[in-house]
Amino acid sequence: MDVFDILDRLVAFPSVAGKPNSDIAGWIETYLGEHDAKVTLFPGPEGDRSNLFATIGPADVPGYVLSGHMDVVPAAEPQWSSSPFTLRREGERLYGRGTTDMKGFLAAALAAVSTLAGLRLARPLHLAFSYDEEIGCRGVPHLIARLPELCAKPLGVIVGEPSGMRAVRGHKGKAAARVTIHGRSGHSSRPDLGLNAIHAMSDALGAVFSEAERLTRGPFDTTFEPPFSSMQAGVIAGGQSVNIIPDICTLDLEARAIPGVDPAGLLVPIKAKAEALAEDGFRVEWAPISAYPALSLPQDSGLAALLRELTDEAPLAAVSYGTEAGLYQAAGLDAIICGPGDIGRAHKPDEYILAGELTACQRMIEALGARCAA
């Protein structure tokens, strides 16, 4: 199978985040087993979805990890020109959910396996494919925790998120949470007998506005746009009818933090403001949604130099989106982003990747394998 055949098979699995993934994970496991890779498939705590880790070469020698996620975002938008889970090719463009984010990278890595298996690798290449990245990087922490028993400490991790095959050294961290305020319902003509949850949420919402404005004053990191941490309220919901006192209101918010700033810590003032509403008779729930740390790989790192040689381009300092790379770095591993596709095509109807991007990624991985050969 070539890279296009593999991508066709991967896209056909509707591996939407938060759903069971035994079909795609099982197919990849079988494919890798046919190429004599050592494969470990292990379920996460949810029980119905798994991470996958595979090794080509000697596992007891430090090597490199090629990291990607098997899940995709939903594809329910009516604007799709064809079935999102059927690969469609028009010239250089290959359309389908996940082609860019990020089954294209998975396909390139899997297509390279036959070449890698034919090399006498002195250093191994590992494939680390996670689940539920799209809903907060929920699967990869369980994979990272297992690394010490699966292989020698890797020399570096290449996370294949779409970057136009230009390596990237940094991204912001992120934390998101949902606050739910429970009040007391009643007829709107007697507000004195109820507790209006929407009105109460204005305290938390006001704190979001204040913190967002405060963050614009620094600290700063000019490698990012904007060069400061940020916060926003993303979703708010509550109420049934204009003449009913709303007894529940929810708010989803997020913070994005420059390196050196804890993204979860940025949400602490909002949590405190919301929980203070209990003094007025409201019941408040705070539920973390997702969190991952920033990535900041030094410009003079060996991994950055390696990717410069493999891509023939200097790595970019940073991108605006987040990845699992920050979690690998937090675990003590050098990590960098480099993968086929453009993030601007992801998470939208008629997502696509270019055929040349796929083959370029496969060539890069095979060149990395040649460097690891005896």
Side-chain angles (χ1 to χ4, degrees):
M1 298 178 74
D2 64 19
V3 65
F4 306 110
D5 296 326
I6 295 171
L7 183 61
D8 179 79
R9 294 299 300 271
L10 295 179
V11 169
F13 295 109
S15 52
V16 173
K19 305 293 184 181
N21 75 341
S22 60
D23 50 1
I24 186 171
W27 186 87
I28 295 172
E29 179 186 29
T30 299
Y31 174 88
L32 289 170
E34 292 171 352
H35 291 83
D36 298 324
K38 180 182 178 181
V39 186
T40 303
L41 193 66
F42 45 96
E46 301 84 0
D48 62 357
R49 64 209 78 159
S50 299
N51 291 307
L52 181 146
F53 188 84
T55 297
I56 303 100
D60 59 348
V61 176
Y64 295 94
V65 175
L66 303 173
S67 169
H69 60 84
M70 295 176 281
D71 60 301
V72 299
V73 296
E77 307 97 332
Q79 297 91 348
W80 281 90
S81 300
S82 57
S83 171
F85 296 108
T86 299
L87 190 67
R88 172 172 60 91
R89 183 166 185 171
E90 290 185 5
E92 276 287 290
R93 294 186 176 191
L94 295 101
Y95 293 91
R97 175 57 84 221
T99 47
T100 277
D101 190 11
M102 59 179 297
K103 290 179 177 179
F105 178 77
L106 303 189
L110 293 172
V113 166
S114 59
T115 297
L116 300 176
L119 299 173
R120 186 172 296 178
L121 294 180
R123 295 192 179 279
L125 289 182
H126 310 285
L127 306 183
F129 295 167
S130 66
Y131 68 88
D132 284 4
E133 187 272 350
E134 295 289 6
I135 53 175
C137 299
R138 295 181 182 177
V140 76
H142 308 297
L143 188 157
I144 292 172
R146 297 283 297 272
L147 283 180
E149 66 188 75
L150 295 169
C151 64
K153 183 178 180 179
L155 297 171
V157 180
I158 301 171
V159 177
E161 290 283 0
S163 67
M165 292 306 299
R166 182 88 178 264
V168 180
R169 296 187 291 105
H171 65 66
K172 291 182 179 180
K174 176 184 173 181
R178 171 173 295 166
V179 57
T180 304
I181 296 176
H182 298 269
R184 185 167 60 247
S185 187
H187 197 284
S188 62
S189 66
R190 290 300 307 272
D192 53 312
L193 299 180
L195 288 172
N196 191 308
I198 294 177
H199 289 185
M201 185 63 80
S202 65
D203 282 8
L205 199 56
V208 173
F209 299 157
S210 296
E211 288 298 305
E213 195 280 330
R214 183 186 65 80
L215 291 172
T216 65
R217 301 194 292 271
F220 299 101
D221 186 330
T222 56
T223 58
F224 294 93
E225 294 182 357
F228 47 80
S229 301
S230 62
M231 185 180 297
Q232 77 149 10
V235 180
I236 188 166
Q240 305 173 59
S241 174
V242 71
N243 61 351
I244 300 175
I245 298 171
D247 63 344
I248 188 170
C249 185
T250 62
L251 171 68
D252 292 357
L253 65 151
E254 69 163 27
R256 293 182 181 264
I258 60 174
V261 176
D262 175 23
L266 295 178
L267 298 180
V268 169
I270 317 303
K271 184 173 186 283
K273 195 70 172 180
E275 291 180 340
L277 292 166
E279 298 175 5
D280 298 322
F282 295 92
R283 181 166 62 88
V284 180
E285 298 174 1
W286 180 271
I289 296 174
S290 63
Y292 55 78
L295 170 70
S296 183
L297 182 70
Q299 187 174 0
D300 61 354
S301 74
L303 186 60
L306 174 63
L307 267 292
R308 179 171 188 154
E309 294 173 5
L310 291 174
T311 64
D312 201 29
E313 287 191 277
L316 294 173
V319 290
S320 58
Y321 57 88
T323 77
E324 295 173 331
L327 289 161
Y328 281 103
Q329 187 176 62
L333 302 175
D334 281 352
I336 198 165
I337 304 163
C338 189
D342 186 324
I343 196 66
R345 306 177 200 145
H347 297 197
K348 61 177 60 176
D350 287 344
E351 177 183 351
Y352 70 90
I353 197 166
L354 300 178
E357 293 169 337
L358 290 174
T359 55
C361 185
Q362 182 179 345
R363 286 196 302 269
M364 182 197 77
I365 293 170
E366 290 171 349
L368 176 61
R371 287 172 176 266
C372 294

